Amino acid sequence: MKNIFSQEDATEIINRINNLKANVTPQWGSMNVQQMLAHCNVTFEMEYETIHPKPNFFIKTILKLFVKKLVVNELPYKKNGQTAPQFIIKDTREFEKEKSRLIAYIKKTQVLGENYFDKKESHSFGVLTAKEWNNLFSKHIDHHLTQFGV
């Protein structure tokens, strides 16, 4: 698992993003590359923006009990897995804009570092360790960059 808080690993992830092409087709799934980039941005939007409503107590409890472990562990995601509704991108997105946004979020996360995230509450899963935050960010990005062959 790459460490998004490490400058070296964050740079490697960004280099992979920069190797994406606007016309690349996925190896699996139905998103185009623009939608995938926007989809990856949602994880960071939930941390840095206020555009996604927080789940109510009942939903957050379900997420913590049944989804959290799958998201923050170090096991890779399976292909064509289910995703939460707020992560489904149906509209048209602009490749360079979404790519730039994702790179900026990665840089911001790396600069803020592990100490900022350790014991910080997430949008959906409650308090997470720095390692869990790293897994949440890195595993998701790696899954989708692999999906698009970079």
Side-chain angles (χ1 to χ4, degrees):
M1 181 79 55
K2 295 294 179 185
N3 182 353
I4 201 162
F5 303 121
S6 152
Q7 185 171 2
E8 180 180 336
D9 286 354
T11 299
E12 183 179 324
I13 294 166
I14 290 168
N15 289 340
R16 289 175 69 194
I17 293 167
N18 281 324
N19 284 328
L20 286 167
K21 304 293 182 222
N23 61 350
V24 68
T25 56
Q27 296 177 8
W28 70 86
S30 60
M31 288 187 288
N32 63 36
V33 69
Q34 294 85 353
Q35 290 169 325
M36 177 276 289
L37 290 166
H39 168 89
C40 287
N41 279 324
V42 172
T43 305
F44 294 97
E45 289 169 355
M46 288 183 171
E47 172 55 26
Y48 298 124
E49 314 295 336
T50 58
I51 58 178
H52 301 283
K54 290 190 176 193
N56 64 37
F57 176 79
F58 176 74
I59 298 296
K60 193 167 188 173
T61 301
I62 298 298
L63 291 170
K64 285 167 66 173
L65 290 173
F66 299 106
V67 179
K68 177 182 173 182
K69 288 180 185 174
L70 298 171
V71 173
V72 301
N73 70 26
E74 294 188 10
L75 298 174
Y77 291 132
K78 295 179 181 176
K79 296 177 183 177
N80 297 310
Q82 286 189 317
T83 191
Q86 61 269 40
F87 284 85
I88 298 171
I89 310 297
K90 294 182 180 179
D91 59 338
T92 303
R93 298 296 176 101
E94 200 260 298
F95 177 75
E96 288 299 330
K97 179 181 177 185
E98 295 301 330
K99 185 171 96 168
S100 294
R101 288 179 63 228
L102 184 56
I103 290 169
Y105 281 136
I106 291 167
K107 287 179 178 179
K108 180 176 183 172
T109 302
Q110 188 275 314
V111 168
L112 287 171
E114 290 180 69
N115 289 337
Y116 174 84
F117 284 93
D118 196 36
K119 306 296 186 231
K120 183 168 179 49
E121 185 166 348
S122 80
H123 186 85
S124 303
F125 303 122
V127 174
L128 300 177
T129 66
K131 182 176 181 176
E132 290 172 325
W133 276 107
N134 175 68
N135 294 351
L136 180 144
F137 291 135
S138 295
K139 179 167 68 167
H140 189 229
I141 293 170
D142 179 68
H143 173 78
H144 288 295
L145 293 177
T146 301
Q147 176 187 17
F148 283 85
V150 295

